Structures are given as C-alpha cells and as structure tokens.
C-alpha cells in the first residue's frame, strides 16, 4: 500500500474555480476550503436527493427494538431475519469456521466504539462502555494487536475506553496514533497521554481550522432546534438529530446542507441518527485499517488475519477493504437485517463481548495444546 502522502495525497486537489470568504464572517485565513458563490455539487435540497429518507432509516426502527426484548413480531419479519442470518451468520455460532481460518495465523482485531463496544444511547456523552466490556477488550489486547477506529475524536475515544494497550484512530481514521517504533514515514512525532513518544498520522490536518469554523457555525444554526447537538471531532464534526422531534429533522438537514454549500471541500455522510461533516479526502476507516496493518507490520496475508467489528455505515469501508483483499473479514453488529460487506454478524454489544471472550478462550486453548 502506498501511504506516502507526498506522492499520493489523500487530500483532493484545490477547486479550480476562484473561491471567496465564508458569508458567516470566517476567522479562517485560507480561502482554499470556503466558497460563498460556488455551489457544492454534492449537496442539493434534502427532500429531492433522498437525504430525508436516509435520515429516517439510519437506525433500527422501533419494531425491531421490540424484538430485541423478545416481544412477538410479525412472521414475515421473522422470515426476513432468518434469511439475513443465513447470509451473515452469527460470528459466535460460526466460531469454528473463524478458528479454522485463523489457524497458524496471528489475528489483528479492529473495533468500532459506538454501537459496538457501547450500546447506542440518546446522549453521546453518556455512551459509556461497561467494565465487563473493558475487561474483555483488555484481555483481547493481551493476545492480539487491537485497535479502536472510531468516528469520535481520538482523545474522546481514548477517554471512553481508557486502555493504554490499544492503538487508537479517531475521526473515522483521520487521526491515527502508532508507537514511535512503527514503520511510517508520513507521521509526525508526538507524545501520548503517558508521555511516551508516538507517531501521528493525520491526513486531513489542513482541515482543522475549517472544521472548527463549521462546527461553531452549525452550533449557531441549530441552537434553536430542540434536541440538536453538534460535536467537534477535530477532523470532522457530527450533527445529532436523535433527540430532535421527527417533524424538525428536515429542518436540521436543510440547515446543515445549506451551510455546507459554501464548503466545496467538505461533504456529508450518514451515521446512526447523525449527519457527519467530513473533508473530501480519500480516507476512511478502510484506509485506516490498511495503514495500521502496514505500519504495525501485520499486512502479510500468510501470517495475519484482520477482523473488523462495527455497526455503522462508516464501518462498511473497512469491511469492504477486507472483503476486496480476500484477507480477513468484517463482523456487522446489527439486530436488524441490512446489506453489508461484512461476512458475519453479532446482534449487539453484549454479543460482541461474548465473541471477544470466545476469541481469547480459543487462543489460550491453542497456546496450551501447542506446548
Ligand atoms: O465510529 P463510532 O465509534 O461508531 O462513532 C460514530 C458516532 O458515534 C456517536 O454517535 C452515535 O452514538 C451515540 C451514543 O450512543 C448516539 O446518541 C448517536 O445517535 C449515534 O450516532 C458519536 O456521538 C458520533 O460523534 C460518532 O460519529
């Protein structure tokens, strides 16, 4: 994999049309990202381009949540669920296949945070991982190189997970910390929370000021909409509408879309009841997995088997990379049928914990029988 950003920068070239300063009185000195005149072709009216539908379907519908609690549901739904499980079998019941694939290989574990290690909750600040899950992840990291790749800022996800033995990538992989010894020439030197020297790979570094600017503007633009919440993840920003009245979702989307029309080098993607503002760069969780495999010396297909566990649309980029490389596989965390590039599924974070424990138990058994 070529990760030399000097040769093949993931940052797309400057727009060729002259650009002007943001209408909202930007303090950002560069005119590279911002244009009041130039329309961002990626953003049209939220009604006509299907964004509203995508917002509505961006998290499991209530009916399925009811099924999670074993309340009876319509038989046709049950049939769809069973058909889906045949396509994406449970990583727990299929553990034998996984173990066979992993035989004589070192597994590398990649984990998403929200919806994977912590359950989805209304308040993003209260998405706390359980102590039992933390212990399971800590155990996994004793046996396998383990990384968290989250949409949140790297600092925030480290604060939530709190395990020094893991690798962390924040902002959908746009902020990756690896040990100083890792093999990556495009990194800058820094120190971690323990004062240890580390490498930082930040392919969207030049976007920090514009993300800060857009974050502040979006806070202003959505403050009158009850329940809306904007987060700044340094290299990207999130606009949550989970707690907004359904009738105001369109308003949230329209305000965000209208504002971003002035920023041709930013784009919007969907998460679970969240709109994600991201730089238009060719970088995502899939690229972050490739980068980590390469820089940690885990990319030899004959020796290593990467597994990525995630629940969200942004995790699909990582699933796809593993599927396309025919090396390793994704595990989708979902209690409802959805199309995915993953190979296996787990219903919810409690099943993720069970799978991680099974992985450790299996490795311990393998180690003891090979003595
Ligand atoms: O890549 P991830 O680690 O899964 O991060 C994706 C987003 O997760 C958070 O939002 C989601 O979880 C919240 C807490 O459960 C929930 O309230 C929200 O509706 C979900 O979208 C986080 O707050 C976002 O900033 C991340 O982008």
């Amino acid at each position: 994999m070529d990760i030399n950003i000097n040769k093949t920068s993931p940052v797309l070239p400057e727009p060729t049309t002259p650009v002007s300063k943001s209408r909202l009185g930007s303090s950002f000195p560069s005119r590279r990202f911002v244009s009041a005149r130039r329309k961002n072709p990626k953003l049209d009216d939220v009604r006509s381009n299907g964004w509203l539908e995508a917002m509505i379907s961006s998290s499991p519908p209530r009916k399925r949540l009811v099924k999670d609690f074993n309340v009876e549901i319509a038989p046709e739904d049950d049939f769809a669920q069973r058909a889906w499980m045949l396509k994406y079998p449970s990583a727990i019941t299929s553990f034998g296949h996984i173990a066979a694939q992993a035989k004589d290989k070192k597994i590398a574990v990649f984990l998403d945070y929200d919806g994977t290690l912590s359950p989805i909750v209304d308040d993003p600040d209260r998405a706390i991982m359980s102590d039992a899950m933390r212990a399971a992840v800590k155990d996994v990291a004793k046996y396998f190189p383990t990384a968290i790749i989250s949409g949140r800022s790297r600092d925030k996800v480290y604060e939530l997970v709190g395990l020094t033995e893991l690798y962390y990538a924040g902002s959908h992989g746009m902020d990756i910390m690896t040990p100083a010894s890792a093999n990556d020439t495009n990194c800058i030197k820094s120190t971690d929370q323990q004062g240890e020297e580390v490498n930082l790979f930040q392919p969207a570094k030049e976007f920090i000021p514009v993300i800060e600017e857009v974050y502040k503007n979006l806070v202003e633009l959505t403050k009158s909409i009850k329940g809306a919440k904007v987060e700044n993840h340094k290299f990207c920003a999130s606009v949550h509408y989970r707690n907004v009245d359904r009738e105001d979702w369109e308003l949230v989307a329209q305000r965000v879309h209208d504002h971003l029309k002035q920023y041709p080098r930013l784009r919007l993607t969907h998460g679970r009841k969240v709109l994600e503002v991201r730089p238009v760069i060719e970088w995502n969780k899939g690229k972050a997995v490739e980068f980590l495999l390469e820089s940690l010396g885990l990319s030899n297909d004959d020796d290593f088997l990467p597994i990525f566990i995630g629940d969200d649309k942004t995790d699909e980029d990582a699933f796809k990379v593993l599927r396309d490389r025919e090396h390793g596989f994704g595990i989708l965390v979902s209690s409802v049928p959805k199309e995915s590039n993953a190979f296996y599924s787990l219903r919810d974070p409690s099943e993720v914990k069970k799978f991680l424990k099974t992985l450790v138990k299996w490795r311990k058994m393998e180690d003891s029988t090979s003595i």
Side-chain angles (χ1 to χ4, degrees), residues 112 114 120-121 124 150-151 231 233 238 240 242 272 276 285:
D112 165 56
D114 288 279
I120 293 294
V121 292
S150 171
E231 288 178 298
H233 302 307
S238 303
H240 291 272
R242 183 173 291 278
R272 295 179 70 169
E276 313 260 23
K285 287 190 178 187

Side-chain angles (χ1 to χ4, degrees), residues 6 38 112 114 127 137 199 215 230 242 279 287 291 296 306 313 349 362:
N6 297 324
R38 207 165 162 265
D112 165 56
D114 288 279
V137 175
N199 288 340
Y215 160 73
V230 189
R242 183 173 291 278
K287 298 270 185 188
F291 179 90
L296 300 174
K313 284 206 180 71
W362 165 77

